[in-house]
Amino acid sequence: MADLILTPNIDGPDDFYADLLAAHEGLSKEESDALNARLILVLANHIGDRKALAQAITAAKAKD
Amino acid sequence: MNKIFEIPLYAYERSPDQDAPAPVRHPVVVIGAGPIGLAAAIDLAQDDVPVVVLDDNDKVSFGSRAICFAKRPLEILDRLGCGHEMVEKGVKWDVGKVFFDTRKVFEFNLLPEDGHEFPAFINLQQYYFEEYLVNRVRQLQDAGKPIEIRGQNRVEAIGTHDDHVKLEVATPEDSYTLEADWLIACDGAGSPTRRMLGLDFVGRVFEDNFLIADVVMEADFPTERWFWFDPPFNRGQSALLHKQPDGVWRIDLQLGWDIDKEEEKKPENVIPRLKAMLGEDVEFELEWVSIYTFQCRRMEKFRHGRVIFAGDAAHQVSPFGARGANSGVQDTDNLVWKLKLVIEGKAPETLLESYDTERIHGADENILNSTRSTDFITPKSEMSRILRDAVLDLAEEHDFARPLVNSGRLSVPCTYDGSPLNTADALEDGPARTRPGAPCPDAPLVDGFLLPKLAGKFTLLTIDADAPDHFEESGIEVTRLALSVKDDKSLALKQRYLGVAPSAVYLIRPDQHVAARRESWNENIFRTAVRRATGQE
Ligand SMILES: Cc1cc2nc3c(=O)[nH]c(=O)nc-3n(C[C@H](O)[C@H](O)[C@H](O)COP(=O)(O)OP(=O)(O)OC[C@H]3O[C@@H](n4cnc5c(N)ncnc54)[C@H](O)[C@@H]3O)c2cc1C
């Protein structure tokens, strides 16, 4: 099982970020929340590996 | 016509015990003639262990309650002599549809695996289920088996002793005292036995209520399970429609927490809700309505000395997944062979501790599954609702999201991994589904099916392997069932029991769970395995 990649891995980070913002453009808070939720699920399925997913959840949690 | 649940099936009759000068002692007393108490009693009496069932009522379950019965309990009922009646009367179904708002999101087929005698599921009213069990009790009585049901016998006090239990029983005429070497408490979710012994019952009570209605109608809805998330006729809540025999349909409508139960139950409030769901012009008649607040919890221990709890008395789950009655029948399947051996003096009392270990494992698995279903069906926070809705939206278009939709994971038997009765798996690369602790999957043979041949005794199943036809170890008789992969042209036997191994020898418990397996016979190892499986190692 592969470890979660936490080093830069996106080709064209600015373009990706712009795509992400564009997807939310003009959406209400509610619509944006729904889009984010769908996006998480689509990406999670693509990753598939439960170990990597667990590491991703940990990495995403806020530090206290 | 009177419904079966309105007719007394085991009316009160005076028992000689009520006039005995001293309390009469019975080997086993069961409290409760619900599905679980009856299953326990039949199992004992079939093997000539005398048993008395006490019930404060004299009829089967009022209204249908449980409707969905799974393969494993049907296999157990077959061993108890009434599985086929249930299947003949029951409605078989494979297709389910999931709706979200006004849209059908997707459709699934349970695609039951071939080569099993019993279907994956049937729908059958609980009152029929209990009626067939009572019929079976009558049949056993006619055959001279030692089994009795005493209607309108309410247990009012229990005294526990090291080697017996004392019961105070109230009847319409008088009260009397009874003694039992062993007491099996199957007195339901509100278990008076649990209360009288001052025992805990911990867990989560979900803040939700469901309107459960059984309606009789001539409608052309197909024989499928339909589940709605957030439908227009029950906004923000869920709904379920499922078919039972005799044109009876089960409807579950989630109501939410803050409701007036008595108000909601009134026909003038129920009927408009059902019309909104079924369509204004569908004619129906209400057979039974109830409001149900469910809970997920279990006792910390199911065995307390000579008192053993089973079924809803020991554990409760939410109705999603049909795990209540289904798991209760598996409790008694697990308990009764052990209790028989202890009563016969062939196994130490400590064998009963494995009932606790194994069935608590089962209860925890059921509680986990039904808690997860509930969290999906009734999201507990705004974000969990957003995620749930995202799953449903995606499921309409994409296959990948469908396994995430959880409208109840239907009951499957649990594998007793880590049980002290198991011998470590020694069949190299053997199929995981038949590892020690697993319930044996059925397989078609030349002359019928595999499971009936494994019922009620220790069996040494050999597939293309040599072994003695019979042996005895520490008082336990083991009989061989010799098979070859050639006995099953469909190759199910090979796939389910051999995998890539050329041969196999399995030690199978009376409840059809695997105790040990390896490629070939070895006297020492299998004798040790028998002792271990009966608590003697
Ligand atoms: C709406 C609904 C839907 C359900 N759907 C399903 C389903 O689809 N599949 C499934 O498997 N399960 C389902 N269940 C759960 C199922 O009905 C229960 O798990 C099952 O009835 C438990 O059986 P039991 O024998 O343990 O207890 P019960 O059926 O409750 O029987 C207990 C018996 O004990 C007797 N008793 C109580 N106190 C005393 C006393 N002091 N003295 C003498 N007798 C006493 C009672 O009269 C009763 O007969 C559903 C339940 C509900 C409410």
Side-chain angles (χ1 to χ4, degrees):
Chain A
M1 287 204 228
D3 267 324
L4 181 72
I5 301 169
L6 284 169
T7 50
N9 191 38
I10 299 173
D11 191 17
D14 291 348
D15 292 339
F16 159 72
Y17 199 73
D19 286 347
L20 188 58
L21 291 188
H24 283 281
E25 197 113 348
L27 299 188
S28 65
K29 166 88 167 79
E30 199 179 317
E31 290 163 336
S32 268
D33 282 346
L35 172 69
N36 278 341
R38 289 194 298 270
L39 187 59
I40 291 167
L41 294 165
V42 168
L43 295 174
N45 185 65
H46 184 81
I47 294 167
D49 187 310
R50 284 273 309 284
K51 185 175 156 212
L53 289 171
Q55 288 173 345
I57 290 170
T58 308
K61 279 188 183 162
K63 307 254 178 316
D64 44 21
Chain B
M1 194 189 79
N2 280 338
K3 294 280 178 188
I4 178 74
F5 55 84
E6 292 166 343
I7 305 165
L9 278 191
Y10 34 91
Y12 171 72
E13 275 173 48
R14 193 167 184 83
S15 151
D17 287 3
Q18 288 166 255
D19 302 310
V24 176
R25 172 84 66 99
H26 294 270
V28 184
V29 168
V30 173
I31 310 183
I36 314 313
L38 290 170
I42 291 168
D43 211 345
L44 288 160
Q46 273 194 165
D47 264 359
D48 301 298
V49 178
V51 56
V52 175
V53 183
L54 306 174
D55 198 283
D56 59 355
N57 203 320
D58 54 10
K59 303 179 190 69
V60 292
S61 166
F62 184 76
S64 34
R65 296 171 70 198
I67 60 157
C68 210
F69 295 94
K71 184 200 306 281
R72 182 61 199 148
L74 292 171
E75 290 166 352
I76 295 169
L77 288 163
D78 187 42
R79 187 172 66 67
L80 300 183
C82 49
H84 287 281
E85 290 86 329
M86 310 264 182
V87 175
E88 266 159 44
K89 178 77 189 177
V91 171
K92 284 168 267 316
W93 61 276
D94 298 322
V95 174
K97 288 187 180 141
V98 175
F99 301 85
F100 180 33
D101 196 351
T102 53
R103 306 164 344 250
K104 184 178 102 181
V105 184
F106 71 100
E107 191 172 315
F108 62 87
N109 191 319
L110 295 175
L111 287 178
E113 186 181 60
D114 281 338
H116 292 256
E117 186 170 17
F118 286 91
F121 278 97
I122 60 162
N123 285 0
L124 182 72
Q125 291 89 323
Q126 183 164 333
Y127 48 79
Y128 279 126
F129 190 87
E130 291 182 23
E131 186 195 359
Y132 295 154
L133 288 168
V134 173
N135 291 346
R136 177 65 182 147
V137 170
R138 300 298 176 218
Q139 216 178 49
L140 289 170
Q141 286 172 329
D142 291 344
K145 295 289 185 182
I147 183 168
E148 230 189 290
I149 313 182
R150 298 188 188 167
Q152 293 194 45
N153 271 240
R154 192 174 65 250
V155 176
E156 297 210 307
I158 296 175
T160 52
H161 302 269
D162 276 353
D163 64 345
H164 73 284
V165 181
K166 214 178 199 129
L167 304 161
E168 283 300 318
V169 185
T171 75
E173 294 181 314
D174 51 15
S175 292
Y176 68 106
T177 307
L178 203 59
E179 288 180 354
D181 290 337
W182 296 94
L183 177 70
I184 310 180
C186 307
D187 47 356
S191 175
T193 306
R194 210 176 50 221
R195 213 181 44 237
M196 288 185 271
L197 298 186
L199 297 169
D200 57 47
F201 202 37
V202 290
R204 248 169 113 185
V205 178
F206 287 90
E207 300 205 340
D208 218 331
N209 293 290
F210 286 78
L211 177 78
I212 316 281
D214 278 350
V215 304
V216 185
M217 63 179 175
E218 294 299 327
D220 47 8
F221 295 109
T223 305
E224 298 172 349
R225 179 185 197 263
W226 287 12
F227 196 97
W228 287 262
F229 293 95
D230 196 11
F233 57 82
N234 200 24
R235 265 299 164 222
Q237 310 283 4
S238 67
L240 175 77
L241 178 71
H242 219 172
K243 189 177 186 180
Q244 305 168 55
D246 306 339
V248 178
W249 297 77
R250 162 60 56 84
I251 293 163
D252 286 14
L253 291 170
Q254 187 186 2
L255 296 177
W257 183 238
D258 199 14
I259 58 151
D260 180 338
K261 291 194 194 181
E262 286 315 307
E263 263 315 289
E264 291 288 352
K265 238 183 353 200
K266 289 187 180 153
E268 64 262 34
N269 292 322
V270 173
I271 287 168
R273 279 185 178 279
L274 297 183
K275 279 193 185 285
M277 173 173 179
L278 302 169
E280 279 301 323
D281 43 348
V282 173
E283 301 255 329
F284 62 84
E285 184 197 319
L286 273 181
E287 178 177 271
W288 175 69
V289 181
S290 149
I291 303 247
Y292 184 56
T293 310
F294 63 79
Q295 353 201 304
C296 281
R297 51 189 190 171
R298 69 159 168 86
M299 297 180 73
E300 207 168 332
K301 274 171 52 204
F302 297 171
R303 177 184 171 222
H304 292 265
R306 293 279 169 140
V307 183
I308 303 164
F309 291 83
D312 277 12
H315 46 73
Q316 263 197 289
V317 291
S318 73
F320 307 112
R323 287 163 186 269
N326 282 317
S327 70
V329 172
Q330 290 166 64
D331 289 345
T332 61
D333 186 46
N334 186 289
L335 170 65
V336 168
W337 68 269
K338 297 174 182 173
L339 187 58
K340 273 185 232 168
L341 290 179
V342 171
I343 290 173
E344 288 166 3
K346 291 182 176 167
E349 221 178 287
T350 47
L351 175 60
L352 297 173
E353 278 160 28
S354 69
Y355 167 70
D356 249 349
T357 326
E358 295 183 336
R359 291 314 300 163
I360 283 176
H361 181 75
D364 285 347
E365 200 171 287
N366 285 321
I367 289 172
L368 179 72
N369 275 293
S370 82
T371 303
R372 287 175 169 178
S373 302
T374 308
D375 287 341
F376 192 86
I377 292 164
T378 315
K380 299 285 179 296
S381 68
E382 194 195 347
M383 191 43 70
S384 74
R385 178 175 297 276
I386 291 170
L387 285 166
R388 196 278 308 269
D389 290 353
V391 167
L392 290 169
D393 279 330
L394 289 166
E396 193 172 356
E397 239 179 298
H398 302 291
D399 276 352
F400 91 80
R402 293 176 189 169
L404 294 171
V405 175
N406 190 343
S407 68
R409 299 279 179 235
L410 294 168
S411 174
V412 287
C414 92
T415 294
Y416 303 132
D417 283 321
S419 165
L421 306 191
N422 295 348
T423 295
D425 193 358
L427 183 65
E428 229 173 288
D429 298 319
R433 65 191 290 187
T434 41
R435 66 189 182 274
C440 288
D442 209 354
L445 303 176
V446 200
D447 55 340
F449 283 86
L450 173 64
L451 286 186
K453 298 182 195 295
L454 301 175
K457 55 187 190 310
F458 273 93
T459 305
L460 193 72
L461 168 66
T462 60
I463 303 173
D464 296 316
D466 273 331
D469 286 332
H470 179 262
F471 70 99
E472 195 192 305
E473 174 57 39
S474 310
I476 309 293
E477 308 266 339
V478 184
T479 317
R480 177 184 180 201
L481 174 65
L483 297 177
S484 161
V485 288
K486 295 192 209 80
D487 292 330
D488 169 22
K489 289 196 188 62
S490 76
L491 293 183
L493 186 67
K494 177 171 164 38
Q495 283 154 8
R496 293 169 199 172
Y497 289 87
L498 291 187
V500 294
S503 66
V505 180
Y506 280 77
L507 177 67
I508 295 167
R509 313 183 336 186
D511 59 2
Q512 300 170 330
H513 279 253
V514 175
R517 66 174 183 179
R518 62 196 306 282
E519 200 174 296
S520 60
W521 166 250
N522 175 307
E523 173 154 0
N524 231 327
I525 289 176
F526 279 100
R527 283 187 180 278
T528 311
V530 170
R531 287 199 305 278
R532 178 164 299 125
T534 50
Q536 308 185 68
E537 252 317 284

